[in-house]
Amino acid sequence: MKRKFVSLAVVLSLAILLNGCGPIASFFPLYKADDKAFEAGVLGTWKLEKPDPSNPDDKNTRWTFAKSEAENF
């Protein structure tokens, strides 16, 4: 009996905690589907202008931006 109670408590706790993880509709969304924009100025390979000398990974850090053929990604 005690084991069933503990199992039920765990399942209910998880259900309550995970309930907030789903998408929700908002009265004031951050963006809408028609807010898509494309900025050609960010295309290319970017690297840090002043890498941190104490972090050796900063010298090799690069970001590459390319336009997708299908969407504005």
Side-chain angles (χ1 to χ4, degrees), residues 6-61:
V6 171
S7 297
L8 180 63
V10 168
V11 168
L12 287 176
S13 298
L14 285 174
I16 290 170
L17 288 173
L18 294 176
N19 189 26
C21 294
I24 60 170
S26 175
F27 290 119
F28 305 104
L30 297 175
Y31 61 91
K32 299 175 187 166
D34 59 340
D35 289 340
K36 291 182 183 179
F38 179 76
E39 180 62 45
V42 298
L43 292 178
T45 301
W46 293 63
K47 64 179 184 173
L48 291 176
E49 187 174 308
K50 296 179 183 175
D52 183 8
S54 64
N55 187 355
D57 291 335
D58 275 1
K59 288 189 234 175
N60 299 327
T61 301

